Amino acid sequence: MQTPPSPSDAITVSNLRKTYRIREGGSWRGKTRDIVALDGISFAVPKGQIAGFIGPNGAGKSTAIKILSGILRPTSGEVQVNGLVPWTNRIAHVARIGVVFGQRTQLWWDLSVAEGLALLRDIYGVEPERFIRNRARLADALDLGGIMDQSVRQLSLGQRMRAEIAASLIHDPDILILDEPTIGLDAPSKLAVRAFVHELCRDRGTTVLLTTHDMHDIEALAERVIVIGHGRILADSPFEDLRTTILSERILELDFHDTPPELTLPAGASETAREPHSLTITFDPRQIPAPALVAHVGHLPGLDDLRISRPSIDEIITRFYADHAA
Amino acid sequence: MNLRPYLTAFGLQWKIGLRYRIAVVAGLVAQMWFGAVTLMAYASVYHAAPDVQAPLSLRQAMTYTWIQQSFFTLLPLGCLPAIGDAARTGAIVYDLLRPVDMWNWWLSASLARLLGNAVPRAVLLACLAGPLAMLVGLGAWSLAGPASLISAALALVSIILGALLSATIVMWWNILTARTLSPLGSYAVGTPLAVLLSGMLLPLPLYPDWIRPFLLAQPFAGITDIPIRIYLGTPIPGGAATGLGLQIFWLAALTLLGRLWMRRTVNRLEVQGA
């Protein structure tokens, strides 16, 4: 399991464990119980890659993100980010990463976006010329021109998220950690965020670690998906591989103007839903190609219409979680 | 060490403290009112028992009261409001993501907030209760001058130490807030302790003999009580040096233990959710 860290890796994680001790019953006399949030995970992210981190709620994603950001200490295991151990070199480590927690705000409610960025300049010790350059670049790429002088409390969620992303990048971090950056955003804002992250990675070689529940984020951005469940890594592969290995199956939907007839299906196909006027058949195209299956059902009496579809990304993931009881 | 981030934190909170001008006026009115009521109570008590040898003269008790009222907002009544908000919303994780020494970062902000609140009020109230009260013929009720020039100089040093000490105690409330993820506990514990033990409610020199050494030796005495005693030139056992020594001792002890407590807290801070 243990691979030696390579110099081209921005992040290496090996055998990482985190156990939370929780007290039951609320009082100080309550029993304590250990909850395993991370049960020995290992992975490495090369420089300049966008890696998507997905998993159901409670899978351990947030715990992993917090350990990588240096704000949580693991129970055991090794982590190196930019060659530093996050929790032992916290100050040096956090100076080189940018983090956005989609559900929290790092800008100051009472200040304008511009004032907030200026405070971050002082906190991170960004030189004036570099600050002006970065601010102009980020304002342009994230379309902040009109909102620079507005106070953060007046911004819409989409505007605020763009400002938050700018805030996380004002000090040119090598690594950007995005924890649910598109949560609650409308479609155009999501597209804007995705396009920006894509450019950031392409033009500046920033390594991006992204968690999300929006599979379209993953599909649009991540070259690689790490699926986590029950504190373990369930899959770690390019997204397309995930799609073909987990769920190569297709769906054939048949509409009838009467009650669908009973039918016998060839191997590789099975009836998965029956309703008063429709049938859903799931099939594996490697066993029974779509044209053959269509030929098989095409002569059925009362058939009005038929459709073949691939399962949606959400279905793929739901199925994957179910298969792994995650 | 690069001081820039800490000066930034200080500047931000100082500005926030100064922003609430109406609060300054409202606070001033309340403090004038409480000060006046307290003074009348002392006057009647002192006149009712003229033979009793009180540890403070009536004039001294009045001056003590005015200075206490002036510095009411210097007391560590609870955590820094910004940290309370951050704990509630979970934004406190961002504080851990800044490349700064957390203790000094929060301390600068806490000190700035205390001073931003206290300095304008103290200056205004000192003018009103001092020169202005004398001008309008209320000299007998006014804030009296320092016992001597040396007392004034030492009192200035002492009040600076007092402000640092108060900010250090606020740090303890901040850590408590970070641990419980709610600012309420810090206010529930901090306000009564600070009001009672600082001498705000009743000057510490006026407590019964047997309890006075304990009251002087506890950290809250170092915020305003010791500076006021030095200003008044009233005896502290061992002199002004003891007073300053106690302040420095508590500053060092609370910083050392507080930093340890903070390290433990940061290591186990588990902000739930994403």
Side-chain angles (χ1 to χ4, degrees):
Chain A
M1 211 55 187
Q2 294 226 346
T3 45
S6 138
S8 63
D9 284 337
I11 301 172
T12 56
V13 172
S14 92
N15 214 9
L16 189 65
R17 284 169 189 281
K18 175 70 191 180
T19 312
Y20 292 108
R21 174 152 292 183
I22 62 158
R23 194 164 280 157
E24 287 182 327
S27 76
W28 58 275
R29 301 172 73 169
K31 290 193 202 99
T32 58
R33 184 161 65 95
D34 286 346
I35 291 186
V36 179
L38 290 178
D39 193 9
I41 65 169
S42 305
F43 62 90
V45 181
K47 283 180 184 152
Q49 191 178 56
I50 303 182
F53 221 43
I54 63 172
N57 291 326
K61 291 190 306 289
S62 291
T63 300
I65 287 287
K66 283 179 202 152
I67 292 172
L68 290 173
S69 326
I71 60 181
L72 195 63
R73 184 178 279 259
T75 309
S76 67
E78 284 166 36
V79 174
Q80 287 217 334
V81 180
N82 284 326
L84 297 172
V85 179
W87 58 92
T88 55
N89 301 317
R90 189 186 68 84
I91 291 180
H93 165 70
V94 296
R96 295 176 59 189
I97 63 167
V99 184
V100 174
F101 290 108
Q103 307 192 67
R104 321 230 185 271
T105 177
Q106 63 181 317
L107 287 162
W108 289 262
W109 282 109
D110 299 317
L111 302 183
S112 70
V113 176
E115 288 172 305
L117 293 178
L119 279 184
L120 290 168
R121 170 198 62 202
D122 293 343
I123 292 166
Y124 284 93
V126 181
E127 306 81 21
E129 313 85 71
R130 188 154 66 98
F131 172 71
I132 291 167
R133 222 172 34 239
N134 283 353
R135 206 184 81 154
R137 178 171 59 80
L138 292 166
D140 182 46
L142 288 161
D143 193 19
L144 300 177
I147 56 169
M148 267 298 178
D149 295 317
Q150 278 186 41
S151 77
V152 173
R153 67 170 76 250
Q154 295 170 327
L155 301 181
S156 73
L157 188 59
Q159 292 172 328
R160 209 198 77 207
M161 189 53 64
R162 299 201 314 266
E164 291 282 333
I165 293 174
S168 71
L169 292 169
I170 202 74
H171 58 294
D172 292 317
D174 305 323
I175 295 177
L176 178 63
I177 295 177
L178 299 171
D179 195 13
E180 304 195 21
T182 57
I183 196 162
L185 298 190
D186 60 18
S189 299
K190 279 186 184 184
L191 291 178
V193 167
R194 285 177 199 145
F196 174 79
V197 172
H198 211 274
E199 277 169 35
L200 182 77
C201 183
R202 191 192 60 207
D203 300 344
R204 304 186 70 81
T206 307
T207 310
V208 180
L209 194 62
L210 167 84
T211 81
T212 182
H213 286 296
D214 186 332
M215 293 308 143
H216 298 284
D217 286 348
I218 294 287
E219 192 175 37
L221 284 176
E223 301 152 48
R224 172 180 174 199
V225 187
I226 299 170
V227 188
I228 186 164
H230 293 310
R232 293 184 157 279
I233 289 180
L234 304 179
D236 182 351
S237 61
F239 187 77
E240 272 314 305
D241 292 5
L242 196 68
R243 191 198 278 279
T244 48
T245 54
I246 297 169
L247 216 55
S248 61
E249 67 189 22
R250 306 283 172 85
I251 294 162
L252 173 64
E253 287 171 284
L254 305 171
D255 292 344
F256 297 88
H257 62 249
D258 225 335
T259 312
E262 294 298 325
L263 69 170
T264 46
L265 289 167
S270 62
E271 188 180 309
T272 44
R274 171 178 284 267
E275 294 191 24
H277 292 281
S278 70
L279 263 185
T280 305
I281 292 164
T282 306
F283 67 99
D284 182 345
R286 286 171 301 190
Q287 287 185 55
I288 167 104
L293 185 64
V294 171
H296 183 84
V297 299
H299 64 275
L300 287 171
L303 182 63
D304 274 346
D305 195 4
L306 58 81
R307 290 176 302 281
I308 294 179
S309 59
R310 295 215 290 186
S312 74
I313 312 154
D314 287 308
E315 283 171 300
I316 296 177
I317 295 303
T318 306
R319 168 67 71 88
F320 187 76
Y321 293 166
D323 287 351
H324 289 81
Chain B
M1 190 173 71
N2 178 13
L3 287 177
R4 191 76 175 277
Y6 309 102
L7 294 175
T8 299
F10 187 93
L12 177 64
Q13 288 299 326
W14 170 262
K15 265 189 276 176
I16 292 175
L18 290 185
R19 183 171 295 171
Y20 301 103
R21 290 184 202 98
I22 297 195
V24 171
V25 174
L28 210 60
V29 171
Q31 276 138 25
M32 291 294 286
W33 178 261
F34 277 111
V37 169
T38 313
L39 256 50
M40 286 182 234
Y42 287 147
S44 57
V45 169
Y46 274 77
H47 290 136
D51 306 329
V52 176
Q53 193 60 42
L56 291 177
S57 73
L58 180 56
R59 283 295 287 140
Q60 285 178 324
M62 287 177 173
T63 299
Y64 189 108
T65 303
W66 283 128
I67 301 179
Q68 278 287 15
Q69 291 295 331
S70 306
F71 285 111
F72 178 67
T73 47
L74 193 66
L75 296 183
L77 301 174
C79 69
L80 180 69
I83 291 175
D85 290 344
R88 246 197 333 255
T89 61
I92 202 161
V93 293
Y94 282 118
D95 281 28
L96 297 165
L97 287 168
R98 303 301 176 214
V100 292
D101 176 89
M102 286 272 290
W103 178 274
N104 290 337
W105 165 249
W106 280 2
L107 183 74
S108 318
S110 303
L111 180 65
R113 185 59 196 253
L114 291 175
L115 293 178
N117 279 337
V119 169
R121 283 165 221 239
V123 170
L124 280 172
L125 199 71
C127 291
L128 287 175
L132 210 70
M134 285 185 213
L135 277 177
V136 299
L138 288 169
W141 301 85
S142 69
L143 171 71
S148 69
L149 263 171
I150 294 174
S151 324
L154 286 176
L156 187 66
V157 173
S158 185
I159 194 70
I160 292 169
L161 286 172
L164 279 168
L165 183 56
S166 181
T168 305
I169 296 173
V170 170
M171 281 303 293
W172 282 63
W173 307 148
N174 293 340
I175 298 168
L176 182 70
T177 299
R179 289 181 85 91
T180 59
L181 297 180
S182 159
L184 297 177
S186 76
Y187 280 95
V189 176
T191 303
L193 275 183
V195 169
L196 202 67
L197 296 178
S198 66
M200 172 64 64
L201 202 63
L202 182 70
L204 299 185
L206 294 183
Y207 278 85
D209 285 340
W210 62 272
I211 201 175
R212 251 183 269 154
F214 299 104
L215 286 173
L216 184 66
Q218 50 83 29
F220 293 88
I223 302 165
T224 43
D225 179 73
I226 290 175
I228 297 173
R229 290 197 212 202
I230 293 175
Y231 178 89
L232 292 173
T234 53
I236 300 173
T242 314
L244 295 173
L246 278 168
Q247 288 182 301
I248 291 166
F249 166 76
W250 280 118
L251 205 51
L254 293 178
T255 301
L256 217 68
L257 292 173
R259 274 184 171 276
L260 280 176
W261 194 31
M262 182 158 210
R263 191 172 311 157
R264 283 184 60 106
T265 302
V266 166
N267 287 343
R268 51 148 280 183
L269 193 61
E270 286 156 14
V271 180
Q272 288 304 306

